[in-house]
Amino acid sequence: MPNNDFVLGLKCRVCGKLYPKAANFFCPDDSAPLEVAYDYAKIAPHVSKTKFASRPRNMWRYRELLPLDGEPTVGPQVGGTPLVRADRLADALGVERLWIKNDAVNFPTLSFKDRVVSVALSKAREFGMRMVGCASTGNLANSVAALGASAGLETVILVPADLEKTKIYGTAVYGAKVVKVAGTYDQVNRLCTQIVMEYGWGFVNVNLRPFYAEGSKTVGFEIAEDLGWRLPQHVVCPMAGGALIGKVHKAFNELSQLGLVNGPVTTKMYGAQAAGCNPISDCVKSNRERHKPVRTPNTICKSLAIGDPADGYFAANLIRSTGGWAEDVSDAEIVECMQLLAKTEGIFAETAGGTTLAVARKLIESGRIPRDEEIVICVTGNGLKTQDAVFEALDEPATIKPNLAEFKALAGLEVAEPALA
Ligand SMILES: *Cc1c(COP(=O)(O)O)cnc(C)c1O
Ligand SMILES: [Zn+2]
């Protein structure tokens, strides 16, 4: 595959200096993060809508716009999740055209992290790395462990000790070495940077981060393709480290630049966080240039609980430059919206999904997102992983003896259907 000369190298996101395509992640001149840079003129003759559509429905159909040198060797089936027309939810919110990008059913670990990890680990193998890992708020841990196992890589995964049990055991089951760290995500992440410096292992969100982040673009490519190669007017994304929201927009820009969608990108991007850990939304709302780190995150939405997000500055800038906005919501609103999404669309999203929907609702109610324009809400993780968050809000089901009389005695189950003859 000629993909390698489509990639120019890794470019500093502040000074623009170009570095070789290697496990580099920051610019020594200004400590800013690096990003994969492509030669779009070279790519253009090799891509078309029909070529993409002729390939299997997974994220790799857009492989010319991903930074691998060869075929993907980790997670070849990842992506291709549904874009769901959400009319019942639209009615509940009082909007006209609403879509859910449902990565709660991404393969194999039920979150959008499988997209970023399959790129990062395929790249790790191209670099000849055998030992890989990550710092994680949960979903990344699941994904690195599962995809690492499927590729025969050794995995070491560091998580904050207070993470949901389901996410810790849902990582250990794959044979990963899981280490619980008594500290916040930011402390875990700092430790991972030291481990990378000491051992040279491939940590997907540290030294493989420029490659990892590119995987998020496929969410944007899929949204555009499923809309018939059109861009929506408004996209609401959850924000943890702040990479996803920027990469969805980068994807739209690439499609526009390559002539695969018409005209310049006018999509407004909106970021969602929990009130208990809102560094990026606070930065946008208070019109500050840089975010103020949140020292002690406190929310049920643990997957988004990054107090000092690596891409915080860039996410806030992007949101402003597109004319979008950011908001944050309480834990009660998160739980309420997990239920709203489940009841209206039959989609059980994790706490991050509840956060994103609750923020979308808040932005619609405040008039930031107009009711008569097209809106896409990104659901990024599965509710089965964070069931504890909703259990307390639900009624305990009634228990009866196995006879019809007791069943009939239950109130509220009179359904007006003709009895079977
Ligand atoms: C990691 C994660 C995000 C946000 O990703 P960033 O790119 O770090 O902003 C959103 N939703 C879920 C469920 C996640 O696990
Ligand atoms: Zn630089």
Side-chain angles (χ1 to χ4, degrees):
M1 203 173 85
N3 209 5
N4 46 3
D5 51 286
F6 292 170
V7 173
L8 294 167
L10 301 180
K11 193 173 176 180
C12 174
R13 295 183 71 183
V14 169
C15 73
K17 191 165 165 183
L18 203 62
Y19 294 89
K21 192 169 49 169
N24 286 331
F25 59 107
F26 67 95
C27 171
D29 293 355
D30 47 27
S31 303
L34 306 181
E35 176 175 49
V36 178
Y38 298 86
D39 185 340
Y40 295 110
K42 216 174 242 174
I43 293 172
H46 295 271
V47 294
S48 71
K49 297 174 202 176
T50 46
K51 187 171 185 182
F52 288 148
S54 74
R55 293 172 172 164
R57 194 184 153 84
N58 60 56
M59 62 181 270
W60 299 104
R61 57 167 49 187
Y62 315 104
R63 71 175 82 111
E64 285 82 0
L65 295 163
L66 293 170
L68 298 189
D69 288 329
E71 293 291 320
T73 59
V74 184
Q77 317 85 345
V78 174
T81 60
L83 183 71
V84 179
R85 171 91 193 211
D87 288 337
R88 281 172 46 79
L89 180 59
D91 282 349
L93 297 178
V95 298
E96 280 176 24
R97 274 175 302 157
L98 181 67
W99 302 87
I100 302 289
K101 176 59 175 168
N102 187 9
D103 260 22
V105 292
N106 208 357
F107 177 85
T109 67
L110 307 178
S111 87
F112 98 96
K113 289 296 197 307
D114 293 324
R115 298 175 186 273
V116 288
V117 171
S118 57
V119 175
L121 294 189
S122 290
K123 202 68 210 171
R125 288 181 105 189
E126 290 185 353
F127 289 142
M129 293 166 163
R130 304 261 313 277
M131 190 78 194
V132 296
C134 65
S136 175
T137 58
N139 287 313
L140 188 60
N142 294 168
S143 189
V144 169
L147 287 166
S150 75
L153 295 162
E154 291 288 321
T155 53
V156 55
I157 286 159
L158 291 87
V159 295
D162 72 345
L163 204 61
E164 297 98 334
K165 251 193 187 152
T166 43
K167 284 185 176 158
I168 291 178
Y169 296 115
T171 301
V173 71
Y174 301 108
K177 183 160 195 62
V178 181
V179 182
K180 295 205 278 183
V181 181
T184 63
Y185 173 84
D186 291 314
Q187 293 171 312
V188 177
N189 200 41
R190 222 163 298 135
L191 173 58
C192 286
T193 306
Q194 293 171 328
I195 293 171
V196 164
M197 298 298 193
E198 180 79 17
Y199 296 98
W201 295 340
F203 269 48
V204 302
N205 59 327
V206 182
N207 52 342
L208 297 171
R209 189 173 178 86
F211 303 99
Y212 154 103
E214 289 296 292
S216 292
K217 290 191 309 193
T218 60
V219 173
F221 297 146
E222 289 177 9
I223 290 171
E225 182 173 1
D226 283 349
L227 289 176
W229 296 105
R230 239 175 9 86
L231 303 180
Q233 288 158 297
H234 308 275
V235 176
V236 191
C237 275
M239 302 185 294
L244 171 66
I245 189 168
K247 295 299 173 179
V248 168
H249 194 261
K250 183 179 181 187
F252 292 168
N253 272 334
E254 290 181 342
L255 295 178
S256 167
Q257 193 162 345
L258 291 164
L260 296 167
V261 296
N262 291 330
V265 181
T266 55
T267 308
K268 295 181 179 176
M269 303 297 296
Y270 303 82
Q273 296 202 294
C277 185
N278 65 347
I280 309 176
S281 72
D282 172 68
C283 178
V284 171
K285 290 195 294 182
S286 60
N287 215 9
R288 217 175 277 124
E289 198 198 343
R290 291 187 179 274
H291 68 264
K292 247 188 356 205
V294 172
R295 296 285 165 221
T296 46
N298 180 15
T299 169
I300 56 166
C301 187
K302 298 190 188 304
S303 56
L304 301 183
I306 296 184
D308 190 7
D311 286 290
Y313 168 77
F314 302 100
N317 254 353
L318 171 85
I319 289 167
R320 289 190 189 111
S321 71
T322 64
W325 198 242
E327 258 303 346
D328 44 80
V329 288
S330 69
D331 285 0
E333 291 171 288
I334 294 169
V335 172
E336 188 200 334
C337 282
M338 287 171 77
Q339 291 175 269
L340 177 62
L341 181 61
K343 287 178 186 173
T344 53
E345 297 297 334
I347 295 171
F348 186 17
E350 71 147 82
T351 47
T355 303
T356 309
L357 175 52
V359 163
R361 183 176 68 176
K362 200 164 174 176
L363 292 168
I364 290 162
E365 282 170 359
S366 68
R368 288 262 176 199
I369 299 181
R371 294 180 185 273
D372 59 347
E373 295 187 2
E374 191 163 53
I375 307 163
V376 173
I377 295 178
C378 294
V379 164
T380 48
N382 196 298
L384 294 171
K385 295 194 202 182
T386 60
Q387 298 186 52
D388 288 350
V390 279
F391 277 3
E392 279 156 40
L394 301 173
D395 293 333
E396 180 66 27
T399 305
I400 59 168
K401 297 212 179 69
N403 66 60
L404 192 57
E406 285 220 3
F407 183 75
K408 279 187 170 169
L410 286 177
L413 276 174
E414 294 85 13
V415 180
E417 299 257 20
L420 289 177

